[in-house]
Amino acid sequence: MKRIFLSIIVCLFAGTTCFAIEERNLSKTEIAVSYGFFPYSDFKETPNDQVLKDLFNGYEETKGTSTGSINFTFNHRFNKTFGLGFDFSYAGEKSQWKEHNLKVADKNVFYLTFMPRLKANWIHNKFFVLYSSVAIGAMWKRTKGETYFDNIEDAGDFFDRVKTSVTDEAIFSFQVSPLGIEVGNHIGAFAEAGFGQMGIVQAGLRFRW
């Protein structure tokens, strides 16, 4: 039993010996498309969100649908382990305010995110690749609010004059994925677990050349 335990420890700390047998030569350039569940924007409030909450204080806000995150990634590996690239991500969400089950206003939001990224392949063999990645960048948020009557009590002159408002914000964005696994070489599938604008869990297809 002790020998088995020691063997496991040695394998964990010497992955290049135990797991990287018959290493394959991965192509250096890759693009990927993926879908992410529960992006950071689903949880984060911004100043514009608080303004709308203050304007509609006393009304019931009903959270609607979220698109999740739709992601595009470019990466170029410049040595055996590390690669640099960028991530582009889209996400959207809808919610509404009600009074006595009557719709008072809609809120539609979408996010466009661009982030430079660093990727590290820790273990790769003929069966799979284990990797980590981190990305930091900026997110553009557009919020569109639409009211359904001309005069909302205590909402101020703004909603007396217009029924639709559009606001834009620039926000810090990130994605940290400590664990990713991929299979295939020139065409493959992958899945990642992490946190950030690309999702807590994301999965997709990767193309290399």
Side-chain angles (χ1 to χ4, degrees):
M1 184 69 183
K2 186 179 292 185
R3 289 182 178 180
I4 295 175
F5 178 76
L6 290 175
S7 298
I8 294 173
I9 295 298
V10 170
C11 285
L12 289 175
F13 285 93
T16 55
T17 300
C18 298
F19 294 105
I21 298 173
E22 297 185 47
E23 284 187 352
R24 54 183 165 163
N25 293 320
L26 295 174
S27 301
K28 289 188 174 183
T29 303
E30 61 187 38
I31 59 173
V33 291
S34 66
Y35 179 82
F37 298 87
F38 309 112
Y40 179 57
S41 56
D42 283 358
F43 312 101
K44 179 178 175 57
E45 287 194 350
T46 64
N48 280 348
D49 293 322
Q50 190 58 52
V51 168
L52 288 174
K53 281 190 172 183
D54 292 340
L55 288 172
F56 290 104
N57 186 29
Y59 296 94
E60 178 188 0
E61 182 178 6
T62 303
K63 291 291 185 182
T65 58
S66 170
T67 64
S69 62
I70 301 168
N71 311 307
F72 172 84
T73 295
F74 171 85
N75 189 75
H76 182 76
R77 189 166 52 86
F78 53 86
N79 62 27
K80 180 180 177 181
T81 302
F82 294 102
L84 290 173
F86 65 84
D87 294 317
F88 179 80
S89 179
Y90 167 86
E93 61 185 45
K94 294 181 179 181
S95 61
Q96 58 184 223
W97 284 271
K98 291 183 177 181
E99 184 181 36
H100 306 304
N101 290 324
L102 295 176
K103 185 161 59 174
V104 173
D106 277 329
K107 182 177 76 170
N108 296 299
V109 185
F110 72 80
Y111 307 84
L112 295 177
T113 303
F114 180 83
M115 300 180 290
R117 79 190 314 253
L118 172 67
K119 179 184 177 184
N121 293 333
W122 303 118
I123 298 172
H124 61 90
N125 56 36
K126 65 179 181 179
F127 301 109
F128 63 87
V129 176
L130 293 181
Y131 65 93
S132 303
S133 66
V134 60
I136 297 175
M139 176 167 60
W140 174 49
K141 176 182 179 181
R142 168 158 286 192
T143 304
K144 181 179 179 181
E146 185 173 4
T147 61
Y148 287 89
F149 50 87
D150 292 332
N151 187 22
I152 300 176
E153 185 179 356
D154 298 328
D157 292 337
F158 178 74
F159 283 103
D160 293 342
R161 295 195 305 270
V162 297
K163 291 185 177 181
T164 301
S165 66
V166 177
T167 57
D168 295 316
E169 296 174 272
I171 309 167
F172 169 78
S173 187
F174 69 95
Q175 177 71 33
V176 178
S177 298
L179 179 61
I181 184 169
E182 58 187 49
V183 294
N185 192 353
H186 296 293
I187 299 177
F190 71 95
E192 293 182 14
F195 185 70
Q197 187 53 28
M198 298 176 74
I200 293 177
V201 176
Q202 59 173 308
L205 297 175
R206 179 165 283 129
F207 308 91
R208 290 194 181 95
W209 69 91

